[in-house]
């Protein structure tokens, strides 16, 4: 405490001014970043018709849980939430598994055909066939209008693959060699030695892939026709694009005797969509900073 007090006493006027500017700038950035999420939260707890009149800034004017009741009572939203959860879980597991296995295999410098594989991967990172050839490929694979169109095409991401390749290349080969001398197979080395020391990479990879699946609405819009396979993000995007989501929506809700509107239910859906990511992130945060720096520094 005495040392801290001495440091504070040595601070000059310029130090206080600089710190004040920094804190003020950080506060402004924090407000600009956080307030839109806070506004959606308070609107989701406000009556829809009342919220359409505006004037809500800091807390709900007419508090209600009707928006969430309507959300959980609508089979369309519940089905979309279930499809999104299933897609995120399955897609993340498959994506992490395939990316890790392929990256680990390519990290061997003596791999037969390694240059050919790397050339194909690098070309795929910079060039795309376009939406029409991509759709034709999915149709030939019988993936269009199926659940697997969400998880199979994105099972291997070229960018994440290159990050994993950089990570596994930095692991000393002596670890694998010592385990093989003790009689361990390649799969045993991978499962018992490589994966336990790869937690930062795996956590970062799982977080990026999971968030990507959770927020993705593109494939649901172009490659899925069955309403039962629509994701939550697509349903929210569908509501946003509806031209009638305005005062006319509020008027229709008032005539129907309901206090909710399409927009108010959408804000409740947005809160529910963001909540799982906010709950998962703290558990992965200790690995995230380490994992995001993978491959950035070479010695």
């Amino acid at each position: 405490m005495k040392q801290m007090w001495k440091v504070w006493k040595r601070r000059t006027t310029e130090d206080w001014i600089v710190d004040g500017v920094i804190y003020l700038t950080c506060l402004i950035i924090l407000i600009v970043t956080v307030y839109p999420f806070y506004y959606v939260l308070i609107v989701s707890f406000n009556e829809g018709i009342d919220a359409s009149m505006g004037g809500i800034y800091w807390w709900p004017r007419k508090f209600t849980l009707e928006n969430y009741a309507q959300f959980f009572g609508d089979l369309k939203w519940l089905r979309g939430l279930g499809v999104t959860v299933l897609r995120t879980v399955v897609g993340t597991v498959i994506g992490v598994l395939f990316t890790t296995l392929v990256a680990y295999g390519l990290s061997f410098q003596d791999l037969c055909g390694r240059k050919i594989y790397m050339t194909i991967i690098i070309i795929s990172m910079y060039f795309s066939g376009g939406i029409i050839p991509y759709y034709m490929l999915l149709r030939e694979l019988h993936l269009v209008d199926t659940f697997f169109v969400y998880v199979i095409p994105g099972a291997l991401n070229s960018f994440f693959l290159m990050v994993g390749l950089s990570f596994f290349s930095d692991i000393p080969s002596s670890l694998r060699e010592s385990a093989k001398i003790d009689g361990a197979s390649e799969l045993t080395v991978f499962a018992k030695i490589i994966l336990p020391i790869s937690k930062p990479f795996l956590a970062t990879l799982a977080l990026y892939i999971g968030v990507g699946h959770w927020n993705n609405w593109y494939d649901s819009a172009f490659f899925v026709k069955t309403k039962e396979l629509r994701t939550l993000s697509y349903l929210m995007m569908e509501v946003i694009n509806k031209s009638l989501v305005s005062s006319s929506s509020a008027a229709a809700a008032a005539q129907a005797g309901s206090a909710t509107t399409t927009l108010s239910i959408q804000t409740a859906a947005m809160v529910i969509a963001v909540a799982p990511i906010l709950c998962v992130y703290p558990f992965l945060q200790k690995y995230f900073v380490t994992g995001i720096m993978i491959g950035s520094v070479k010695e």
Side-chain angles (χ1 to χ4, degrees):
M1 292 294 294
K2 292 182 178 180
Q3 293 180 352
M4 293 179 61
W5 175 249
K6 291 180 180 179
V7 172
W8 279 93
K9 288 182 66 177
R10 293 176 185 173
R11 295 170 65 84
T12 62
T13 304
E14 290 80 4
D15 294 332
W16 286 104
I17 293 175
V18 171
D19 288 347
V21 172
I22 293 175
Y23 291 145
L24 180 60
T25 303
C26 292
L27 180 61
I28 294 174
I29 295 175
L30 178 65
I31 294 175
V32 172
T33 305
V34 175
Y35 181 75
F37 296 96
Y38 176 72
Y39 178 78
V40 171
L41 179 63
I42 61 178
V43 170
S44 69
F45 285 104
N46 197 90
E47 285 188 0
I49 297 178
D50 180 74
S52 63
M53 300 177 183
I56 300 176
Y57 302 106
W58 301 110
W59 50 78
R61 187 163 49 212
K62 291 186 178 181
F63 182 84
T64 182
L65 296 176
E66 185 64 24
N67 296 321
Y68 291 92
Q70 286 281 92
F71 175 86
F72 287 108
D74 192 337
L75 184 60
K76 177 185 70 174
W77 291 104
L78 283 181
R79 188 188 301 115
L81 179 61
V83 172
T84 302
V85 171
L86 183 61
R87 170 194 179 161
T88 302
V89 173
V90 176
T92 301
V93 172
I94 293 178
V96 171
L97 177 62
F98 276 70
T99 303
T100 305
L101 288 174
V102 176
Y104 177 69
L106 290 175
S107 65
F108 291 92
Q109 297 296 328
D110 57 348
L111 178 67
C112 181
R114 184 176 185 274
K115 291 185 178 180
I116 299 177
Y117 299 145
M118 293 300 300
T119 302
I120 295 175
I121 293 171
I122 292 174
I123 291 176
S124 67
M125 290 180 62
Y126 292 99
F127 300 98
S128 172
I131 185 65
I132 296 178
Y134 182 60
Y135 177 83
M136 294 176 63
L137 175 62
L138 294 179
R139 187 180 63 181
E140 290 298 323
L141 295 175
H142 303 286
L143 294 177
V144 175
D145 203 23
T146 66
F147 174 80
F148 296 102
V149 76
Y150 293 141
V151 296
I152 292 181
L156 188 65
N157 184 282
S158 300
F159 174 76
F160 296 146
L161 180 61
M162 298 301 294
V163 175
L165 177 61
S166 176
F167 174 79
F168 290 122
S169 297
D170 292 338
I171 297 178
S173 59
S174 57
L175 288 176
R176 296 192 294 264
E177 294 173 358
S178 60
K180 289 183 179 180
I181 292 175
D182 293 335
S185 63
E186 197 63 59
L187 288 178
T188 303
V189 173
F190 179 73
K192 298 294 182 64
I193 297 178
I194 302 301
L195 289 184
I197 64 177
S198 305
K199 289 182 180 179
F201 168 67
L202 295 177
T204 306
L205 181 62
L207 183 62
Y208 274 114
I209 294 178
V211 172
H213 277 290
W214 186 268
N215 294 329
N216 196 338
W217 60 270
Y218 181 86
D219 43 14
S220 183
F222 289 95
F223 309 128
V224 174
K225 298 180 180 179
T226 305
K227 294 183 178 180
E228 287 74 13
L229 293 176
R230 301 292 194 187
T231 60
L232 182 62
S233 56
Y234 171 82
L235 295 178
M236 289 190 292
M237 183 61 63
E238 189 179 41
V239 171
I240 293 174
N241 292 333
K242 285 183 178 179
S243 59
L244 296 179
V245 181
S246 59
S247 58
S248 59
S249 176
Q255 292 178 0
S258 174
T260 62
T261 62
T262 307
L263 182 60
S264 66
I265 298 176
Q266 182 201 2
T267 57
M270 293 173 64
V271 173
I272 295 173
V274 173
I277 304 299
L278 296 179
C279 294
V280 171
Y281 181 78
F283 296 99
L284 301 178
Q285 185 178 9
K286 62 179 180 179
Y287 302 110
F288 184 73
V289 177
T290 304
I292 203 173
M293 297 298 294
I294 291 173
S296 61
V297 177
K298 292 291 184 181
E299 296 182 357

